[in-house]
Amino acid sequence: MLIKKKKVRSHTEDRYLALVLATTAGILNAMALGAFGFFPSHMTGNTSQISSEVFSADTQGLIFLAVLIAAFVIGSVCARFMVLAGLKKNLRTIFCLIILAESVVLSLISVFELAFYSPGNNKEISVLLGFLMGIHNSTSTQLSNGRVRATHITGTLTDAGIALGSFVSSFISHVSYSERRFQQKQLYTHLTTVFSFLTGCIVGLLLFRFAGFVAMLGLGVFLAAVALWAIAATLHRAKKNVYGLNKIRLS
């Protein structure tokens, strides 16, 4: 799920990726709304709100939204740089390491908020979360070759609409079964992403109301566990492959 393989990724792998990364994105997005009153991943809404701040001459609000959007973009750029560096070194676990790094930062933010929460820090923490969401979305997008965008639900709904239109029209144009099946799988993948994010938002609000920043810390620990499990599984498979090759050579 978190490993970039030489073969073409299956839709099943991408659906598992959506279940984990889109759900956790929705959870974090909802927790940030409950804690700070802002959506750190809702760049369409944040960009639209800039016009309102310009109209009302709210300089502070305008600057905050601009910085939040910039943080999301910078997070995406950083994830791209890390992926390129990892692929250049043939580091198969690079996506796992990025998610692991994200989980560590998220956990540190949660611990800080548990100890020193203050309304005066809300905007700074929101910007940091926007940066993490940029990393999160960029990682899922690159790993799935654009099929899973963990936070970009507007684009995913558009892709789902295109896939649905192609699937329905396949019955009229009499395309091959394999092409129709491909469009069906594409549609299922996009719908999985949408419903995972929606479910995550609902769960995130409930968890934050129940446990506050402890729930956010738990989310960071969960992401770390997923990344570490993927790294361990990859190293185990690599070790088995090397052992198998050695046995063949010796025989």
mmCIF file of all heavy atoms in Angstrom, residues 155-190:
data_model
loop_
_atom_site.group_PDB
_atom_site.id
_atom_site.type_symbol
_atom_site.label_atom_id
_atom_site.label_comp_id
_atom_site.label_asym_id
_atom_site.label_seq_id
_atom_site.Cartn_x
_atom_site.Cartn_y
_atom_site.Cartn_z
ATOM 1 N N GLY A 155 -11.619 17.635 -6.455
ATOM 2 C CA GLY A 155 -11.033 16.978 -7.617
ATOM 3 C C GLY A 155 -11.418 15.514 -7.710
ATOM 4 O O GLY A 155 -11.648 14.987 -8.804
ATOM 5 N N THR A 156 -11.497 14.855 -6.556
ATOM 6 C CA THR A 156 -11.857 13.437 -6.547
ATOM 7 C C THR A 156 -13.298 13.233 -7.000
ATOM 8 O O THR A 156 -13.604 12.283 -7.731
ATOM 9 C CB THR A 156 -11.662 12.842 -5.139
ATOM 10 O OG1 THR A 156 -10.301 13.044 -4.721
ATOM 11 C CG2 THR A 156 -11.960 11.357 -5.137
ATOM 12 N N LEU A 157 -14.201 14.118 -6.565
ATOM 13 C CA LEU A 157 -15.585 14.035 -7.024
ATOM 14 C C LEU A 157 -15.673 14.266 -8.530
ATOM 15 O O LEU A 157 -16.475 13.622 -9.222
ATOM 16 C CB LEU A 157 -16.446 15.060 -6.280
ATOM 17 C CG LEU A 157 -16.839 14.689 -4.841
ATOM 18 C CD1 LEU A 157 -17.491 15.883 -4.158
ATOM 19 C CD2 LEU A 157 -17.784 13.486 -4.828
ATOM 20 N N THR A 158 -14.852 15.187 -9.035
ATOM 21 C CA THR A 158 -14.805 15.417 -10.482
ATOM 22 C C THR A 158 -14.338 14.163 -11.211
ATOM 23 O O THR A 158 -14.939 13.746 -12.218
ATOM 24 C CB THR A 158 -13.860 16.586 -10.813
ATOM 25 O OG1 THR A 158 -14.284 17.761 -10.117
ATOM 26 C CG2 THR A 158 -13.837 16.861 -12.311
ATOM 27 N N ASP A 159 -13.267 13.535 -10.691
ATOM 28 C CA ASP A 159 -12.764 12.299 -11.294
ATOM 29 C C ASP A 159 -13.813 11.187 -11.223
ATOM 30 O O ASP A 159 -13.952 10.388 -12.161
ATOM 31 C CB ASP A 159 -11.486 11.848 -10.584
ATOM 32 C CG ASP A 159 -10.326 12.804 -10.812
ATOM 33 O OD1 ASP A 159 -10.367 13.547 -11.811
ATOM 34 O OD2 ASP A 159 -9.389 12.804 -9.995
ATOM 35 N N ALA A 160 -14.539 11.131 -10.099
ATOM 36 C CA ALA A 160 -15.589 10.114 -9.953
ATOM 37 C C ALA A 160 -16.696 10.345 -10.981
ATOM 38 O O ALA A 160 -17.223 9.380 -11.575
ATOM 39 C CB ALA A 160 -16.166 10.147 -8.547
ATOM 40 N N GLY A 161 -17.045 11.614 -11.201
ATOM 41 C CA GLY A 161 -18.058 11.932 -12.205
ATOM 42 C C GLY A 161 -17.617 11.541 -13.599
ATOM 43 O O GLY A 161 -18.403 10.996 -14.388
ATOM 44 N N ILE A 162 -16.351 11.785 -13.912
ATOM 45 C CA ILE A 162 -15.813 11.407 -15.226
ATOM 46 C C ILE A 162 -15.824 9.890 -15.385
ATOM 47 O O ILE A 162 -16.221 9.362 -16.435
ATOM 48 C CB ILE A 162 -14.383 11.953 -15.394
ATOM 49 C CG1 ILE A 162 -14.409 13.489 -15.461
ATOM 50 C CG2 ILE A 162 -13.720 11.376 -16.644
ATOM 51 C CD1 ILE A 162 -13.041 14.124 -15.425
ATOM 52 N N ALA A 163 -15.398 9.187 -14.334
ATOM 53 C CA ALA A 163 -15.375 7.721 -14.390
ATOM 54 C C ALA A 163 -16.781 7.152 -14.526
ATOM 55 O O ALA A 163 -17.013 6.195 -15.279
ATOM 56 C CB ALA A 163 -14.696 7.166 -13.130
ATOM 57 N N LEU A 164 -17.746 7.753 -13.812
ATOM 58 C CA LEU A 164 -19.128 7.295 -13.913
ATOM 59 C C LEU A 164 -19.672 7.527 -15.315
ATOM 60 O O LEU A 164 -20.351 6.660 -15.895
ATOM 61 C CB LEU A 164 -19.996 8.020 -12.881
ATOM 62 C CG LEU A 164 -21.498 7.684 -12.899
ATOM 63 C CD1 LEU A 164 -21.717 6.199 -12.651
ATOM 64 C CD2 LEU A 164 -22.240 8.523 -11.859
ATOM 65 N N GLY A 165 -19.373 8.714 -15.863
ATOM 66 C CA GLY A 165 -19.823 9.005 -17.226
ATOM 67 C C GLY A 165 -19.230 8.040 -18.241
ATOM 68 O O GLY A 165 -19.929 7.554 -19.146
ATOM 69 N N SER A 166 -17.945 7.729 -18.072
ATOM 70 C CA SER A 166 -17.291 6.787 -18.993
ATOM 71 C C SER A 166 -17.865 5.388 -18.845
ATOM 72 O O SER A 166 -18.065 4.671 -19.833
ATOM 73 C CB SER A 166 -15.776 6.758 -18.710
ATOM 74 O OG SER A 166 -15.199 8.025 -18.932
ATOM 75 N N PHE A 167 -18.154 5.000 -17.586
ATOM 76 C CA PHE A 167 -18.702 3.661 -17.335
ATOM 77 C C PHE A 167 -20.097 3.516 -17.954
ATOM 78 O O PHE A 167 -20.397 2.518 -18.605
ATOM 79 C CB PHE A 167 -18.747 3.397 -15.837
ATOM 80 C CG PHE A 167 -19.356 2.080 -15.456
ATOM 81 C CD1 PHE A 167 -18.725 0.894 -15.794
ATOM 82 C CD2 PHE A 167 -20.564 2.033 -14.769
ATOM 83 C CE1 PHE A 167 -19.295 -0.335 -15.456
ATOM 84 C CE2 PHE A 167 -21.139 0.814 -14.429
ATOM 85 C CZ PHE A 167 -20.505 -0.374 -14.766
ATOM 86 N N VAL A 168 -20.948 4.519 -17.758
ATOM 87 C CA VAL A 168 -22.304 4.465 -18.306
ATOM 88 C C VAL A 168 -22.269 4.475 -19.843
ATOM 89 O O VAL A 168 -22.979 3.712 -20.504
ATOM 90 C CB VAL A 168 -23.151 5.645 -17.776
ATOM 91 C CG1 VAL A 168 -24.501 5.704 -18.494
ATOM 92 C CG2 VAL A 168 -23.360 5.509 -16.271
ATOM 93 N N SER A 169 -21.414 5.336 -20.395
ATOM 94 C CA SER A 169 -21.351 5.435 -21.857
ATOM 95 C C SER A 169 -20.763 4.182 -22.490
ATOM 96 O O SER A 169 -20.978 3.924 -23.686
ATOM 97 C CB SER A 169 -20.509 6.648 -22.267
ATOM 98 O OG SER A 169 -19.148 6.480 -21.890
ATOM 99 N N SER A 170 -20.034 3.375 -21.698
ATOM 100 C CA SER A 170 -19.439 2.153 -22.250
ATOM 101 C C SER A 170 -20.509 1.151 -22.682
ATOM 102 O O SER A 170 -20.276 0.326 -23.563
ATOM 103 C CB SER A 170 -18.505 1.508 -21.223
ATOM 104 O OG SER A 170 -19.229 1.000 -20.107
ATOM 105 N N PHE A 171 -21.691 1.237 -22.060
ATOM 106 C CA PHE A 171 -22.779 0.346 -22.449
ATOM 107 C C PHE A 171 -23.415 0.788 -23.767
ATOM 108 O O PHE A 171 -24.020 -0.012 -24.482
ATOM 109 C CB PHE A 171 -23.850 0.302 -21.352
ATOM 110 C CG PHE A 171 -23.395 -0.369 -20.093
ATOM 111 C CD1 PHE A 171 -22.868 0.379 -19.049
ATOM 112 C CD2 PHE A 171 -23.477 -1.746 -19.957
ATOM 113 C CE1 PHE A 171 -22.454 -0.239 -17.875
ATOM 114 C CE2 PHE A 171 -23.071 -2.373 -18.793
ATOM 115 C CZ PHE A 171 -22.551 -1.622 -17.746
ATOM 116 N N ILE A 172 -23.285 2.079 -24.059
ATOM 117 C CA ILE A 172 -23.869 2.618 -25.292
ATOM 118 C C ILE A 172 -22.914 2.442 -26.470
ATOM 119 O O ILE A 172 -23.309 2.072 -27.571
ATOM 120 C CB ILE A 172 -24.220 4.109 -25.110
ATOM 121 C CG1 ILE A 172 -25.198 4.279 -23.937
ATOM 122 C CG2 ILE A 172 -24.798 4.697 -26.399
ATOM 123 C CD1 ILE A 172 -25.459 5.719 -23.557
ATOM 124 N N SER A 173 -21.634 2.724 -26.213
ATOM 125 C CA SER A 173 -20.640 2.658 -27.286
ATOM 126 C C SER A 173 -20.105 1.254 -27.511
ATOM 127 O O SER A 173 -19.307 1.032 -28.418
ATOM 128 C CB SER A 173 -19.476 3.607 -26.972
ATOM 129 O OG SER A 173 -18.910 3.299 -25.697
ATOM 130 N N HIS A 174 -20.490 0.307 -26.634
ATOM 131 C CA HIS A 174 -20.091 -1.099 -26.789
ATOM 132 C C HIS A 174 -18.566 -1.272 -26.813
ATOM 133 O O HIS A 174 -18.016 -1.923 -27.708
ATOM 134 C CB HIS A 174 -20.697 -1.697 -28.070
ATOM 135 C CG HIS A 174 -22.186 -1.593 -28.120
ATOM 136 N ND1 HIS A 174 -23.026 -2.295 -27.269
ATOM 137 C CD2 HIS A 174 -23.003 -0.833 -28.904
ATOM 138 C CE1 HIS A 174 -24.283 -1.998 -27.534
ATOM 139 N NE2 HIS A 174 -24.316 -1.112 -28.518
ATOM 140 N N VAL A 175 -17.910 -0.681 -25.819
ATOM 141 C CA VAL A 175 -16.460 -0.865 -25.704
ATOM 142 C C VAL A 175 -16.191 -2.259 -25.154
ATOM 143 O O VAL A 175 -17.091 -2.984 -24.729
ATOM 144 C CB VAL A 175 -15.843 0.210 -24.785
ATOM 145 C CG1 VAL A 175 -16.116 1.594 -25.323
ATOM 146 C CG2 VAL A 175 -16.362 0.073 -23.362
ATOM 147 N N SER A 176 -14.931 -2.634 -25.127
ATOM 148 C CA SER A 176 -14.552 -3.955 -24.644
ATOM 149 C C SER A 176 -14.852 -4.096 -23.153
ATOM 150 O O SER A 176 -14.927 -3.106 -22.418
ATOM 151 C CB SER A 176 -13.065 -4.205 -24.893
ATOM 152 O OG SER A 176 -12.289 -3.294 -24.127
ATOM 153 N N TYR A 177 -14.990 -5.341 -22.723
ATOM 154 C CA TYR A 177 -15.279 -5.602 -21.305
ATOM 155 C C TYR A 177 -14.146 -5.099 -20.414
ATOM 156 O O TYR A 177 -14.393 -4.574 -19.328
ATOM 157 C CB TYR A 177 -15.486 -7.101 -21.091
ATOM 158 C CG TYR A 177 -15.636 -7.472 -19.638
ATOM 159 C CD1 TYR A 177 -16.843 -7.263 -18.964
ATOM 160 C CD2 TYR A 177 -14.562 -8.008 -18.933
ATOM 161 C CE1 TYR A 177 -16.976 -7.582 -17.620
ATOM 162 C CE2 TYR A 177 -14.683 -8.330 -17.585
ATOM 163 C CZ TYR A 177 -15.891 -8.118 -16.932
ATOM 164 O OH TYR A 177 -16.008 -8.429 -15.600
ATOM 165 N N SER A 178 -12.907 -5.266 -20.866
ATOM 166 C CA SER A 178 -11.760 -4.841 -20.062
ATOM 167 C C SER A 178 -11.767 -3.336 -19.840
ATOM 168 O O SER A 178 -11.454 -2.862 -18.746
ATOM 169 C CB SER A 178 -10.448 -5.267 -20.738
ATOM 170 O OG SER A 178 -10.341 -4.681 -22.028
ATOM 171 N N GLU A 179 -12.142 -2.565 -20.877
ATOM 172 C CA GLU A 179 -12.216 -1.112 -20.741
ATOM 173 C C GLU A 179 -13.334 -0.717 -19.786
ATOM 174 O O GLU A 179 -13.177 0.171 -18.950
ATOM 175 C CB GLU A 179 -12.452 -0.474 -22.114
ATOM 176 C CG GLU A 179 -12.656 1.034 -22.085
ATOM 177 C CD GLU A 179 -11.426 1.797 -21.621
ATOM 178 O OE1 GLU A 179 -10.315 1.232 -21.678
ATOM 179 O OE2 GLU A 179 -11.581 2.949 -21.173
ATOM 180 N N ARG A 180 -14.483 -1.385 -19.902
ATOM 181 C CA ARG A 180 -15.603 -1.101 -18.996
ATOM 182 C C ARG A 180 -15.228 -1.444 -17.551
ATOM 183 O O ARG A 180 -15.538 -0.701 -16.621
ATOM 184 C CB ARG A 180 -16.826 -1.895 -19.429
ATOM 185 C CG ARG A 180 -18.068 -1.642 -18.562
ATOM 186 C CD ARG A 180 -19.207 -2.521 -19.032
ATOM 187 N NE ARG A 180 -19.477 -2.305 -20.445
ATOM 188 C CZ ARG A 180 -20.056 -3.195 -21.240
ATOM 189 N NH1 ARG A 180 -20.413 -4.377 -20.754
ATOM 190 N NH2 ARG A 180 -20.283 -2.913 -22.501
ATOM 191 N N ARG A 181 -14.548 -2.558 -17.385
ATOM 192 C CA ARG A 181 -14.121 -2.988 -16.058
ATOM 193 C C ARG A 181 -13.119 -1.997 -15.464
ATOM 194 O O ARG A 181 -13.154 -1.699 -14.261
ATOM 195 C CB ARG A 181 -13.485 -4.378 -16.155
ATOM 196 C CG ARG A 181 -13.029 -4.967 -14.840
ATOM 197 C CD ARG A 181 -14.172 -5.193 -13.901
ATOM 198 N NE ARG A 181 -13.715 -5.860 -12.687
ATOM 199 C CZ ARG A 181 -14.367 -5.829 -11.534
ATOM 200 N NH1 ARG A 181 -15.524 -5.178 -11.443
ATOM 201 N NH2 ARG A 181 -13.895 -6.460 -10.497
ATOM 202 N N PHE A 182 -12.247 -1.457 -16.314
ATOM 203 C CA PHE A 182 -11.269 -0.469 -15.852
ATOM 204 C C PHE A 182 -11.974 0.777 -15.327
ATOM 205 O O PHE A 182 -11.623 1.302 -14.265
ATOM 206 C CB PHE A 182 -10.323 -0.090 -17.001
ATOM 207 C CG PHE A 182 -9.404 1.051 -16.676
ATOM 208 C CD1 PHE A 182 -8.262 0.853 -15.905
ATOM 209 C CD2 PHE A 182 -9.682 2.344 -17.121
ATOM 210 C CE1 PHE A 182 -7.417 1.905 -15.599
ATOM 211 C CE2 PHE A 182 -8.852 3.398 -16.815
ATOM 212 C CZ PHE A 182 -7.706 3.179 -16.051
ATOM 213 N N GLN A 183 -12.968 1.276 -16.060
ATOM 214 C CA GLN A 183 -13.703 2.459 -15.628
ATOM 215 C C GLN A 183 -14.467 2.196 -14.329
ATOM 216 O O GLN A 183 -14.574 3.070 -13.464
ATOM 217 C CB GLN A 183 -14.682 2.901 -16.723
ATOM 218 C CG GLN A 183 -14.014 3.366 -18.007
ATOM 219 C CD GLN A 183 -13.121 4.581 -17.806
ATOM 220 O OE1 GLN A 183 -13.263 5.329 -16.839
ATOM 221 N NE2 GLN A 183 -12.187 4.785 -18.725
ATOM 222 N N GLN A 184 -14.987 0.973 -14.193
ATOM 223 C CA GLN A 184 -15.692 0.603 -12.966
ATOM 224 C C GLN A 184 -14.738 0.613 -11.766
ATOM 225 O O GLN A 184 -15.069 1.140 -10.697
ATOM 226 C CB GLN A 184 -16.318 -0.782 -13.130
ATOM 227 C CG GLN A 184 -17.190 -1.202 -11.961
ATOM 228 C CD GLN A 184 -17.761 -2.592 -12.172
ATOM 229 O OE1 GLN A 184 -17.106 -3.470 -12.737
ATOM 230 N NE2 GLN A 184 -18.989 -2.803 -11.724
ATOM 231 N N LYS A 185 -13.554 0.061 -11.943
ATOM 232 C CA LYS A 185 -12.561 0.054 -10.870
ATOM 233 C C LYS A 185 -12.140 1.478 -10.514
ATOM 234 O O LYS A 185 -11.964 1.815 -9.344
ATOM 235 C CB LYS A 185 -11.337 -0.767 -11.285
ATOM 236 C CG LYS A 185 -11.581 -2.260 -11.370
ATOM 237 C CD LYS A 185 -10.314 -2.974 -11.803
ATOM 238 C CE LYS A 185 -10.521 -4.477 -11.867
ATOM 239 N NZ LYS A 185 -9.283 -5.183 -12.313
ATOM 240 N N GLN A 186 -11.969 2.296 -11.550
ATOM 241 C CA GLN A 186 -11.607 3.701 -11.332
ATOM 242 C C GLN A 186 -12.665 4.400 -10.498
ATOM 243 O O GLN A 186 -12.357 5.148 -9.563
ATOM 244 C CB GLN A 186 -11.461 4.388 -12.691
ATOM 245 C CG GLN A 186 -10.762 5.728 -12.657
ATOM 246 C CD GLN A 186 -9.271 5.591 -12.891
ATOM 247 O OE1 GLN A 186 -8.590 4.912 -12.141
ATOM 248 N NE2 GLN A 186 -8.765 6.242 -13.911
ATOM 249 N N LEU A 187 -13.925 4.164 -10.820
ATOM 250 C CA LEU A 187 -15.034 4.774 -10.086
ATOM 251 C C LEU A 187 -15.028 4.320 -8.630
ATOM 252 O O LEU A 187 -15.186 5.142 -7.714
ATOM 253 C CB LEU A 187 -16.361 4.406 -10.750
ATOM 254 C CG LEU A 187 -17.639 4.877 -10.053
ATOM 255 C CD1 LEU A 187 -17.676 6.394 -9.968
ATOM 256 C CD2 LEU A 187 -18.866 4.342 -10.782
ATOM 257 N N TYR A 188 -14.849 3.031 -8.389
ATOM 258 C CA TYR A 188 -14.829 2.504 -7.028
ATOM 259 C C TYR A 188 -13.693 3.122 -6.203
ATOM 260 O O TYR A 188 -13.859 3.420 -5.020
ATOM 261 C CB TYR A 188 -14.666 0.983 -7.056
ATOM 262 C CG TYR A 188 -15.895 0.233 -7.507
ATOM 263 C CD1 TYR A 188 -15.820 -1.124 -7.848
ATOM 264 C CD2 TYR A 188 -17.140 0.853 -7.613
ATOM 265 C CE1 TYR A 188 -16.947 -1.822 -8.267
ATOM 266 C CE2 TYR A 188 -18.264 0.167 -8.039
ATOM 267 C CZ TYR A 188 -18.159 -1.166 -8.367
ATOM 268 O OH TYR A 188 -19.257 -1.847 -8.795
ATOM 269 N N THR A 189 -12.544 3.313 -6.845
ATOM 270 C CA THR A 189 -11.406 3.905 -6.141
ATOM 271 C C THR A 189 -11.709 5.337 -5.713
ATOM 272 O O THR A 189 -11.441 5.728 -4.573
ATOM 273 C CB THR A 189 -10.148 3.886 -7.036
ATOM 274 O OG1 THR A 189 -9.824 2.527 -7.366
ATOM 275 C CG2 THR A 189 -8.955 4.512 -6.318
ATOM 276 N N HIS A 190 -12.284 6.126 -6.614
ATOM 277 C CA HIS A 190 -12.613 7.519 -6.277
ATOM 278 C C HIS A 190 -13.698 7.591 -5.203
ATOM 279 O O HIS A 190 -13.614 8.420 -4.284
ATOM 280 C CB HIS A 190 -13.073 8.264 -7.535
ATOM 281 C CG HIS A 190 -12.002 8.408 -8.579
ATOM 282 N ND1 HIS A 190 -10.699 8.712 -8.256
ATOM 283 C CD2 HIS A 190 -12.053 8.293 -9.939
ATOM 284 C CE1 HIS A 190 -9.980 8.777 -9.369
ATOM 285 N NE2 HIS A 190 -10.776 8.536 -10.389
#
